[in-house]
Amino acid sequence: MKNTRRYAVYGVIAAIVVAIVAVAVIKIIGREEKAAPLPVVTVEPVKESDVNIYGEYVGRIRAQQFVEIRARVEGYLERILFEEGTHINKGQTLFVIDRKVYRARAEKARAQLNKAKANALKAERDLARIRPLFEQNAASQLDLDNAEAAYESAKAEESVAQADLTQAELTLSYTTVSSPIAGYISERSADIGSLVGPSGKSLLATVVKSDTVLVDFSMTSLDYLKSKDRNVNLGHRDGTDRQDSYVTVTLADGTQYPHRGVVDFASPQVDPSTGTFSVRAEMPNPEHALLPGEFTKVKVLVDVRTDAIEVPAKAIEIEKGGAYIYVVRPDSIVERRFVETGPELGNSIIVERGLAAGEDIVVEGYHKLRHNMKVRPVPAAPADSIK
């Protein structure tokens, strides 16, 4: 009996000790939890702004005008009146072909014309004499008809001779080859003494006008479909208030060309073999830094978004379920929210759906967060204060 009472006392004492220890442990854990600091995160407010969206493509520079200088008549090249690679003016004489044969033909045609004029004058005088005689019954109807026919034939021969002279003089003028445009001329393709012309070497040189150049590039058919909903005009004047698209190009050394061009043409159909459609931009080239034929990187304005939500790319996490971002509520509780992303703009991304202007998003420190966790938000430093 004594042992039973003793064991009961020991049990009560053990229970009291366990209870005291449990209470102490709970207090210690509570203090630790109470003392544990909240995660510090850097936040930025979501803002709406107008943003320009660009696309990058590979383009090729093309001269605004590229003219082949060819010999239109056959003959031996006598003179070359330009320096290769220099700027020439419109109408400037470049080549002179042997003129002797063509000058002789022109002189012969002129003589034939003079002869035809003399015959026409004689026929006119004969007709003038016959008419009064016919009226006085001193000449027959046949005489009058013959005189009129001779006059008409002489006038026709005069017209033929005039046309022959015009053609001969025009052919003679082709022996002097001039430039139809102003621009830079290439090296010559024929030397003095060479037989040039349709049966010889026809191409003599080329002239390139590159004060303004054209930039050709191709866009995909998907780009074309998307362009229907865009706020820029890709070469088609549709009568709306869309903004005209423009392009910038990158030079061979990686620097950006200081001038920009306007997209003035977009093909109305897609090439079925490539799935792309051609786009062209006109760009000033006063310093001739852009050379026709070279390839370059083209940056094209493809859309202008008004009141768009743009967030730092580092604030967005990507997983199999989609893209999400942590939003800090006014009570400092973070919410893991899935969003629909749009185009990338350098270090930023457009958010199409899921965010509203004025909300605070986590831009740093989100790796240690979980949904519905309480945090201590710290505003991000202004961009202009970061050196």
Side-chain angles (χ1 to χ4, degrees):
M1 187 68 176
K2 286 184 178 181
N3 291 335
T4 302
R5 291 179 179 175
R6 187 180 305 156
Y7 292 148
V9 172
Y10 291 159
V12 172
I13 295 173
I16 293 172
V17 172
V18 170
I20 294 173
V21 171
V23 172
V25 170
I26 291 173
K27 289 183 178 180
I28 293 173
I29 294 175
R31 291 194 197 100
E32 290 179 352
E33 288 184 353
K34 188 176 180 179
L38 297 175
V40 178
V41 294
T42 304
V43 299
E44 283 186 7
V46 175
K47 297 179 180 178
E48 291 180 336
S49 61
D50 297 343
V51 296
N52 294 339
I53 299 176
Y54 300 90
E56 291 190 355
Y57 306 90
V58 176
R60 187 174 184 179
I61 306 300
R62 177 163 57 94
Q64 186 183 37
Q65 286 184 283
F66 180 88
V67 178
E68 294 181 339
I69 307 299
R70 293 184 177 272
R72 302 179 66 176
V73 295
E74 185 175 281
Y76 291 98
L77 196 60
E78 283 191 340
R79 285 185 290 169
I80 299 175
L81 304 176
F82 67 91
E83 293 185 10
E84 298 170 318
T86 60
H87 187 274
I88 59 174
N89 298 318
K90 182 179 180 179
Q92 179 177 334
T93 301
L94 305 177
F95 300 92
V96 177
I97 301 172
D98 184 14
R99 304 164 58 91
K100 299 182 183 67
V101 174
Y102 301 102
R103 186 184 293 112
R105 291 177 182 174
E107 292 175 354
K108 180 180 179 180
R110 187 174 291 106
Q112 293 288 350
L113 176 61
N114 292 335
K115 180 181 178 180
K117 286 182 177 179
N119 291 336
L121 181 61
K122 179 181 180 301
E124 183 180 7
R125 290 173 178 173
D126 291 343
L127 179 59
R129 285 192 298 268
I130 290 294
R131 277 177 177 161
L133 294 176
F134 174 76
E135 292 174 356
Q136 299 172 7
N137 292 324
S140 65
Q141 182 68 45
L142 179 61
D143 293 334
L144 178 61
D145 292 344
N146 289 338
E148 289 178 346
Y151 173 71
E152 295 296 336
S153 178
K155 292 298 291 184
E157 290 179 358
E158 181 183 353
S159 298
V160 172
Q162 180 65 61
D164 289 341
L165 176 60
T166 301
Q167 183 177 7
E169 289 179 339
L170 183 62
T171 304
L172 176 62
S173 69
Y174 291 158
T175 60
T176 300
V177 183
S178 58
S179 176
I181 64 171
Y184 286 87
I185 192 165
S186 68
E187 61 180 350
R188 63 182 184 272
S189 300
D191 294 320
I192 294 177
S194 300
L195 178 65
V196 298
S199 61
K201 184 178 286 296
S202 173
L203 180 63
L204 302 179
T206 56
V207 178
V208 176
K209 182 179 181 181
S210 56
D211 295 336
T212 299
V213 295
L214 303 177
V215 184
D216 297 323
F217 57 97
S218 296
M219 300 177 71
T220 65
S221 56
L222 180 59
D223 290 329
Y224 178 78
L225 293 175
K226 290 181 178 179
S227 68
K228 293 294 185 179
D229 300 325
R230 288 172 176 163
N231 299 314
V232 297
N233 175 25
L234 284 174
H236 297 299
R237 307 294 179 182
D238 53 8
T240 64
D241 57 353
R242 291 183 177 184
Q243 178 177 335
D244 289 337
S245 181
Y246 61 84
V247 304
T248 58
V249 300
T250 302
L251 299 177
D253 59 359
T255 60
Q256 182 172 311
Y257 185 61
H259 303 283
R260 72 182 190 182
V262 178
V263 176
D264 63 345
F265 170 77
S267 176
Q269 62 182 5
V270 173
D271 185 347
S273 61
T274 61
T276 62
F277 67 101
S278 300
V279 183
R280 182 188 69 200
E282 187 177 274
M283 177 167 290
N285 189 31
E287 297 87 11
H288 299 95
L290 301 177
L291 299 178
E294 71 174 328
F295 289 91
T296 184
K297 183 187 295 183
V298 182
K299 190 175 181 181
V300 188
L301 176 66
V302 295
D303 198 3
V304 176
R305 298 284 185 90
T306 58
D307 298 331
I309 293 179
E310 181 182 1
V311 301
K314 62 182 181 180
I316 296 179
E317 283 286 294
I318 307 294
E319 64 176 23
K320 292 183 179 180
Y324 65 89
I325 194 167
Y326 280 103
V327 179
V328 180
R329 300 200 303 250
D331 58 359
S332 297
I333 301 296
V334 294
E335 174 186 341
R336 188 188 188 199
R337 186 182 301 174
F338 283 91
V339 295
E340 180 181 338
T341 59
E344 295 187 16
L345 307 173
N347 295 326
S348 301
I349 296 179
I350 298 295
V351 174
E352 306 282 5
R353 293 181 182 84
L355 284 180
E359 292 185 304
D360 288 331
I361 60 173
V362 178
V363 294
E364 290 183 8
Y366 54 82
H367 298 291
K368 53 190 174 183
L369 302 181
R370 63 180 183 274
H371 185 65
N372 284 335
M373 173 183 276
K374 192 175 183 62
V375 296
R376 184 161 67 90
V378 176
D384 54 2
S385 66
I386 300 176
K387 298 182 180 180

